[in-house]
PDB file of all heavy atoms in Angstrom:
ATOM      1  N   LYS A  12      97.691  95.922 105.250  1.00 74.00           N
ATOM      2  CA  LYS A  12      97.196  97.213 104.768  1.00 74.00           C
ATOM      3  C   LYS A  12      98.283  97.957 103.992  1.00 74.00           C
ATOM      4  O   LYS A  12      98.007  98.561 102.964  1.00 74.00           O
ATOM      5  CB  LYS A  12      96.713  98.040 105.969  1.00 74.00           C
ATOM      6  CG  LYS A  12      96.200  99.408 105.644  1.00 74.00           C
ATOM      7  CD  LYS A  12      95.751 100.112 106.930  1.00 74.00           C
ATOM      8  CE  LYS A  12      95.610 101.592 106.747  1.00 74.00           C
ATOM      9  NZ  LYS A  12      95.318 102.268 108.005  1.00 74.00           N
ATOM     10  N   ASN A  13      99.545  97.864 104.443  1.00 69.00           N
ATOM     11  CA  ASN A  13     100.634  98.579 103.768  1.00 69.00           C
ATOM     12  C   ASN A  13     101.330  97.722 102.699  1.00 69.00           C
ATOM     13  O   ASN A  13     102.295  98.151 102.096  1.00 69.00           O
ATOM     14  CB  ASN A  13     101.656  99.109 104.777  1.00 69.00           C
ATOM     15  CG  ASN A  13     102.482  98.005 105.430  1.00 69.00           C
ATOM     16  OD1 ASN A  13     102.379  96.823 105.096  1.00 69.00           O
ATOM     17  ND2 ASN A  13     103.302  98.393 106.387  1.00 69.00           N
ATOM     18  N   GLY A  14     100.835  96.496 102.489  1.00 69.00           N
ATOM     19  CA  GLY A  14     101.398  95.628 101.459  1.00 69.00           C
ATOM     20  C   GLY A  14     102.698  94.946 101.838  1.00 69.00           C
ATOM     21  O   GLY A  14     103.275  94.214 101.047  1.00 69.00           O
ATOM     22  N   GLY A  15     103.165  95.139 103.077  1.00 69.00           N
ATOM     23  CA  GLY A  15     104.476  94.646 103.489  1.00 69.00           C
ATOM     24  C   GLY A  15     104.536  93.212 103.968  1.00 69.00           C
ATOM     25  O   GLY A  15     105.601  92.723 104.298  1.00 69.00           O
ATOM     26  N   GLY A  16     103.404  92.520 104.021  1.00 77.00           N
ATOM     27  CA  GLY A  16     103.410  91.144 104.505  1.00 77.00           C
ATOM     28  C   GLY A  16     102.053  90.497 104.323  1.00 77.00           C
ATOM     29  O   GLY A  16     101.179  91.037 103.649  1.00 77.00           O
ATOM     30  N   GLU A  17     101.896  89.328 104.949  1.00 90.00           N
ATOM     31  CA  GLU A  17     100.648  88.572 104.835  1.00 90.00           C
ATOM     32  C   GLU A  17     100.069  88.267 106.209  1.00 90.00           C
ATOM     33  O   GLU A  17     100.806  88.181 107.188  1.00 90.00           O
ATOM     34  CB  GLU A  17     100.892  87.248 104.111  1.00 90.00           C
ATOM     35  CG  GLU A  17     101.328  87.413 102.687  1.00 90.00           C
ATOM     36  CD  GLU A  17     101.586  86.082 102.017  1.00 90.00           C
ATOM     37  OE1 GLU A  17     101.814  85.067 102.722  1.00 90.00           O
ATOM     38  OE2 GLU A  17     101.555  86.058 100.779  1.00 90.00           O
ATOM     39  N   THR A  18      98.760  88.085 106.244  1.00 93.00           N
ATOM     40  CA  THR A  18      98.080  87.756 107.481  1.00 93.00           C
ATOM     41  C   THR A  18      96.947  86.776 107.204  1.00 93.00           C
ATOM     42  O   THR A  18      96.467  86.680 106.073  1.00 93.00           O
ATOM     43  CB  THR A  18      97.539  89.025 108.179  1.00 93.00           C
ATOM     44  OG1 THR A  18      97.144  88.709 109.504  1.00 93.00           O
ATOM     45  CG2 THR A  18      96.392  89.649 107.427  1.00 93.00           C
ATOM     46  N   ARG A  19      96.564  86.065 108.238  1.00 97.00           N
ATOM     47  CA  ARG A  19      95.397  85.176 108.186  1.00 97.00           C
ATOM     48  C   ARG A  19      94.413  85.710 109.225  1.00 97.00           C
ATOM     49  O   ARG A  19      94.686  85.653 110.415  1.00 97.00           O
ATOM     50  CB  ARG A  19      95.796  83.740 108.506  1.00 97.00           C
ATOM     51  CG  ARG A  19      96.672  83.112 107.443  1.00 97.00           C
ATOM     52  CD  ARG A  19      97.085  81.698 107.845  1.00 97.00           C
ATOM     53  NE  ARG A  19      97.958  81.125 106.857  1.00 97.00           N
ATOM     54  CZ  ARG A  19      97.561  80.354 105.846  1.00 97.00           C
ATOM     55  NH1 ARG A  19      96.283  80.073 105.716  1.00 97.00           N
ATOM     56  NH2 ARG A  19      98.421  79.866 104.987  1.00 97.00           N
ATOM     57  N   GLU A  20      93.295  86.233 108.756  1.00 96.00           N
ATOM     58  CA  GLU A  20      92.308  86.829 109.652  1.00 96.00           C
ATOM     59  C   GLU A  20      91.474  85.748 110.328  1.00 96.00           C
ATOM     60  O   GLU A  20      90.880  84.901 109.666  1.00 96.00           O
ATOM     61  CB  GLU A  20      91.415  87.783 108.875  1.00 96.00           C
ATOM     62  CG  GLU A  20      90.485  88.583 109.770  1.00 96.00           C
ATOM     63  CD  GLU A  20      89.756  89.650 109.002  1.00 96.00           C
ATOM     64  OE1 GLU A  20      88.759  89.312 108.351  1.00 96.00           O
ATOM     65  OE2 GLU A  20      90.208  90.809 109.046  1.00 96.00           O
ATOM     66  N   ILE A  21      91.443  85.788 111.654  1.00 98.00           N
ATOM     67  CA  ILE A  21      90.638  84.863 112.454  1.00 98.00           C
ATOM     68  C   ILE A  21      89.208  85.366 112.562  1.00 98.00           C
ATOM     69  O   ILE A  21      88.253  84.626 112.361  1.00 98.00           O
ATOM     70  CB  ILE A  21      91.256  84.680 113.858  1.00 98.00           C
ATOM     71  CG1 ILE A  21      92.642  84.043 113.743  1.00 98.00           C
ATOM     72  CG2 ILE A  21      90.332  83.862 114.752  1.00 98.00           C
ATOM     73  CD1 ILE A  21      93.451  84.091 115.029  1.00 98.00           C
ATOM     74  N   VAL A  22      89.070  86.641 112.894  1.00 98.00           N
ATOM     75  CA  VAL A  22      87.744  87.232 113.073  1.00 98.00           C
ATOM     76  C   VAL A  22      87.827  88.730 112.813  1.00 98.00           C
ATOM     77  O   VAL A  22      88.846  89.363 113.097  1.00 98.00           O
ATOM     78  CB  VAL A  22      87.188  86.947 114.501  1.00 98.00           C
ATOM     79  CG1 VAL A  22      88.063  87.541 115.577  1.00 98.00           C
ATOM     80  CG2 VAL A  22      85.744  87.401 114.655  1.00 98.00           C
ATOM     81  N   ASN A  23      86.744  89.285 112.267  1.00 97.00           N
ATOM     82  CA  ASN A  23      86.627  90.720 112.038  1.00 97.00           C
ATOM     83  C   ASN A  23      85.194  91.105 112.384  1.00 97.00           C
ATOM     84  O   ASN A  23      84.271  90.803 111.634  1.00 97.00           O
ATOM     85  CB  ASN A  23      86.939  91.059 110.576  1.00 97.00           C
ATOM     86  CG  ASN A  23      86.880  92.546 110.304  1.00 97.00           C
ATOM     87  OD1 ASN A  23      86.283  93.323 111.040  1.00 97.00           O
ATOM     88  ND2 ASN A  23      87.505  92.958 109.218  1.00 97.00           N
ATOM     89  N   ILE A  24      85.021  91.730 113.542  1.00 97.00           N
ATOM     90  CA  ILE A  24      83.701  92.183 113.976  1.00 97.00           C
ATOM     91  C   ILE A  24      83.508  93.583 113.398  1.00 97.00           C
ATOM     92  O   ILE A  24      84.202  94.520 113.779  1.00 97.00           O
ATOM     93  CB  ILE A  24      83.573  92.187 115.516  1.00 97.00           C
ATOM     94  CG1 ILE A  24      83.883  90.798 116.086  1.00 97.00           C
ATOM     95  CG2 ILE A  24      82.192  92.684 115.932  1.00 97.00           C
ATOM     96  CD1 ILE A  24      83.009  89.672 115.578  1.00 97.00           C
ATOM     97  N   VAL A  25      82.608  93.694 112.443  1.00 92.00           N
ATOM     98  CA  VAL A  25      82.431  94.935 111.696  1.00 92.00           C
ATOM     99  C   VAL A  25      81.777  96.019 112.542  1.00 92.00           C
ATOM    100  O   VAL A  25      81.137  95.747 113.548  1.00 92.00           O
ATOM    101  CB  VAL A  25      81.621  94.700 110.397  1.00 92.00           C
ATOM    102  CG1 VAL A  25      82.376  93.789 109.462  1.00 92.00           C
ATOM    103  CG2 VAL A  25      80.250  94.148 110.707  1.00 92.00           C
ATOM    104  N   SER A  26      81.983  97.241 112.085  1.00 90.00           N
ATOM    105  CA  SER A  26      81.435  98.418 112.734  1.00 90.00           C
ATOM    106  C   SER A  26      80.829  99.300 111.649  1.00 90.00           C
ATOM    107  O   SER A  26      81.379  99.372 110.549  1.00 90.00           O
ATOM    108  CB  SER A  26      82.560  99.168 113.457  1.00 90.00           C
ATOM    109  OG  SER A  26      82.108 100.404 113.938  1.00 90.00           O
ATOM    110  N   PRO A  27      79.713  99.979 111.932  1.00 86.00           N
ATOM    111  CA  PRO A  27      79.106 100.814 110.892  1.00 86.00           C
ATOM    112  C   PRO A  27      79.952 102.029 110.505  1.00 86.00           C
ATOM    113  O   PRO A  27      79.797 102.561 109.420  1.00 86.00           O
ATOM    114  CB  PRO A  27      77.774 101.246 111.507  1.00 86.00           C
ATOM    115  CG  PRO A  27      77.945 101.088 112.970  1.00 86.00           C
ATOM    116  CD  PRO A  27      78.935  99.976 113.161  1.00 86.00           C
ATOM    117  N   ASP A  28      80.875 102.440 111.375  1.00 88.00           N
ATOM    118  CA  ASP A  28      81.641 103.654 111.107  1.00 88.00           C
ATOM    119  C   ASP A  28      83.150 103.436 111.022  1.00 88.00           C
ATOM    120  O   ASP A  28      83.912 104.388 111.036  1.00 88.00           O
ATOM    121  CB  ASP A  28      81.333 104.694 112.186  1.00 88.00           C
ATOM    122  CG  ASP A  28      81.691 104.205 113.583  1.00 88.00           C
ATOM    123  OD1 ASP A  28      81.944 102.996 113.749  1.00 88.00           O
ATOM    124  OD2 ASP A  28      81.710 105.032 114.506  1.00 88.00           O
ATOM    125  N   ALA A  29      83.580 102.181 110.923  1.00 89.00           N
ATOM    126  CA  ALA A  29      85.013 101.885 110.833  1.00 89.00           C
ATOM    127  C   ALA A  29      85.189 100.523 110.153  1.00 89.00           C
ATOM    128  O   ALA A  29      84.224  99.780 109.962  1.00 89.00           O
ATOM    129  CB  ALA A  29      85.638 101.865 112.232  1.00 89.00           C
ATOM    130  N   ALA A  30      86.419 100.207 109.805  1.00 89.00           N
ATOM    131  CA  ALA A  30      86.703  98.931 109.143  1.00 89.00           C
ATOM    132  C   ALA A  30      86.383  97.737 110.047  1.00 89.00           C
ATOM    133  O   ALA A  30      86.065  96.658 109.560  1.00 89.00           O
ATOM    134  CB  ALA A  30      88.158  98.888 108.707  1.00 89.00           C
ATOM    135  N   PHE A  31      86.460  97.963 111.367  1.00 95.00           N
ATOM    136  CA  PHE A  31      86.160  96.905 112.330  1.00 95.00           C
ATOM    137  C   PHE A  31      85.943  97.518 113.696  1.00 95.00           C
ATOM    138  O   PHE A  31      86.433  98.599 113.991  1.00 95.00           O
ATOM    139  CB  PHE A  31      87.301  95.873 112.404  1.00 95.00           C
ATOM    140  CG  PHE A  31      88.642  96.487 112.704  1.00 95.00           C
ATOM    141  CD1 PHE A  31      89.029  96.748 114.005  1.00 95.00           C
ATOM    142  CD2 PHE A  31      89.510  96.820 111.687  1.00 95.00           C
ATOM    143  CE1 PHE A  31      90.256  97.336 114.290  1.00 95.00           C
ATOM    144  CE2 PHE A  31      90.741  97.409 111.962  1.00 95.00           C
ATOM    145  CZ  PHE A  31      91.106  97.661 113.264  1.00 95.00           C
ATOM    146  N   LEU A  32      85.198  96.795 114.544  1.00 97.00           N
ATOM    147  CA  LEU A  32      85.103  97.117 115.967  1.00 97.00           C
ATOM    148  C   LEU A  32      86.293  96.469 116.668  1.00 97.00           C
ATOM    149  O   LEU A  32      86.989  97.094 117.440  1.00 97.00           O
ATOM    150  CB  LEU A  32      83.784  96.614 116.546  1.00 97.00           C
ATOM    151  CG  LEU A  32      83.599  96.745 118.051  1.00 97.00           C
ATOM    152  CD1 LEU A  32      83.696  98.207 118.484  1.00 97.00           C
ATOM    153  CD2 LEU A  32      82.279  96.144 118.483  1.00 97.00           C
ATOM    154  N   TRP A  33      86.499  95.182 116.333  1.00 98.00           N
ATOM    155  CA  TRP A  33      87.705  94.486 116.756  1.00 98.00           C
ATOM    156  C   TRP A  33      87.987  93.372 115.766  1.00 98.00           C
ATOM    157  O   TRP A  33      87.084  92.872 115.099  1.00 98.00           O
ATOM    158  CB  TRP A  33      87.629  93.992 118.194  1.00 98.00           C
ATOM    159  CG  TRP A  33      86.606  92.945 118.523  1.00 98.00           C
ATOM    160  CD1 TRP A  33      85.295  93.162 118.845  1.00 98.00           C
ATOM    161  CD2 TRP A  33      86.801  91.524 118.614  1.00 98.00           C
ATOM    162  NE1 TRP A  33      84.667  91.956 119.120  1.00 98.00           N
ATOM    163  CE2 TRP A  33      85.568  90.933 118.990  1.00 98.00           C
ATOM    164  CE3 TRP A  33      87.891  90.683 118.425  1.00 98.00           C
ATOM    165  CZ2 TRP A  33      85.396  89.570 119.158  1.00 98.00           C
ATOM    166  CZ3 TRP A  33      87.731  89.316 118.601  1.00 98.00           C
ATOM    167  CH2 TRP A  33      86.504  88.768 118.963  1.00 98.00           C
ATOM    168  N   ARG A  34      89.278  93.036 115.652  1.00 97.00           N
ATOM    169  CA  ARG A  34      89.674  91.972 114.742  1.00 97.00           C
ATOM    170  C   ARG A  34      90.920  91.287 115.281  1.00 97.00           C
ATOM    171  O   ARG A  34      91.707  91.897 116.020  1.00 97.00           O
ATOM    172  CB  ARG A  34      89.891  92.472 113.324  1.00 97.00           C
ATOM    173  CG  ARG A  34      91.150  93.263 113.110  1.00 97.00           C
ATOM    174  CD  ARG A  34      91.327  93.735 111.671  1.00 97.00           C
ATOM    175  NE  ARG A  34      91.673  92.674 110.756  1.00 97.00           N
ATOM    176  CZ  ARG A  34      92.913  92.386 110.359  1.00 97.00           C
ATOM    177  NH1 ARG A  34      93.931  93.092 110.820  1.00 97.00           N
ATOM    178  NH2 ARG A  34      93.148  91.406 109.520  1.00 97.00           N
ATOM    179  N   ALA A  35      91.078  90.018 114.910  1.00 98.00           N
ATOM    180  CA  ALA A  35      92.248  89.245 115.322  1.00 98.00           C
ATOM    181  C   ALA A  35      92.786  88.492 114.111  1.00 98.00           C
ATOM    182  O   ALA A  35      92.010  88.039 113.260  1.00 98.00           O
ATOM    183  CB  ALA A  35      91.881  88.262 116.435  1.00 98.00           C
ATOM    184  N   SER A  36      94.115  88.363 114.054  1.00 97.00           N
ATOM    185  CA  SER A  36      94.745  87.688 112.936  1.00 97.00           C
ATOM    186  C   SER A  36      96.106  87.142 113.357  1.00 97.00           C
ATOM    187  O   SER A  36      96.637  87.497 114.405  1.00 97.00           O
ATOM    188  CB  SER A  36      94.909  88.643 111.750  1.00 97.00           C
ATOM    189  OG  SER A  36      95.758  89.720 112.116  1.00 97.00           O
ATOM    190  N   VAL A  37      96.648  86.283 112.501  1.00 97.00           N
ATOM    191  CA  VAL A  37      98.011  85.777 112.670  1.00 97.00           C
ATOM    192  C   VAL A  37      98.792  86.187 111.435  1.00 97.00           C
ATOM    193  O   VAL A  37      98.431  85.817 110.307  1.00 97.00           O
ATOM    194  CB  VAL A  37      98.027  84.245 112.864  1.00 97.00           C
ATOM    195  CG1 VAL A  37      99.460  83.727 112.879  1.00 97.00           C
ATOM    196  CG2 VAL A  37      97.314  83.863 114.158  1.00 97.00           C
ATOM    197  N   ALA A  38      99.854  86.961 111.632  1.00 94.00           N
ATOM    198  CA  ALA A  38     100.668  87.464 110.532  1.00 94.00           C
ATOM    199  C   ALA A  38     101.954  86.665 110.390  1.00 94.00           C
ATOM    200  O   ALA A  38     102.501  86.167 111.376  1.00 94.00           O
ATOM    201  CB  ALA A  38     101.016  88.937 110.773  1.00 94.00           C
ATOM    202  N   THR A  39     102.419  86.568 109.158  1.00 91.00           N
ATOM    203  CA  THR A  39     103.705  85.937 108.862  1.00 91.00           C
ATOM    204  C   THR A  39     104.776  87.015 108.855  1.00 91.00           C
ATOM    205  O   THR A  39     104.604  88.070 108.248  1.00 91.00           O
ATOM    206  CB  THR A  39     103.658  85.230 107.496  1.00 91.00           C
ATOM    207  OG1 THR A  39     102.625  84.257 107.541  1.00 91.00           O
ATOM    208  CG2 THR A  39     104.976  84.554 107.185  1.00 91.00           C
ATOM    209  N   LEU A  40     105.870  86.757 109.549  1.00 89.00           N
ATOM    210  CA  LEU A  40     106.996  87.691 109.612  1.00 89.00           C
ATOM    211  C   LEU A  40     108.125  87.115 108.767  1.00 89.00           C
ATOM    212  O   LEU A  40     108.818  86.198 109.187  1.00 89.00           O
ATOM    213  CB  LEU A  40     107.451  87.866 111.063  1.00 89.00           C
ATOM    214  CG  LEU A  40     106.385  88.358 112.034  1.00 89.00           C
ATOM    215  CD1 LEU A  40     106.867  88.241 113.464  1.00 89.00           C
ATOM    216  CD2 LEU A  40     106.002  89.787 111.708  1.00 89.00           C
TER     217      LEU A  40
END
């Protein structure tokens, strides 16, 4: 979101009033 790195999204359970209800990912450091 802040442009500072990369991630691989595993799952994003959407929500009608937010970007997600819950989400999981693996980020590269």
Side-chain angles (χ1 to χ4, degrees):
K12 179 180 163 186
N13 70 5
E17 296 179 339
T18 193
R19 292 178 182 266
E20 188 172 81
I21 297 168
V22 61
N23 182 340
I24 304 301
V25 296
S26 172
D28 60 347
F31 55 84
L32 174 60
W33 65 275
R34 74 180 287 263
S36 62
V37 174
T39 301
L40 302 169

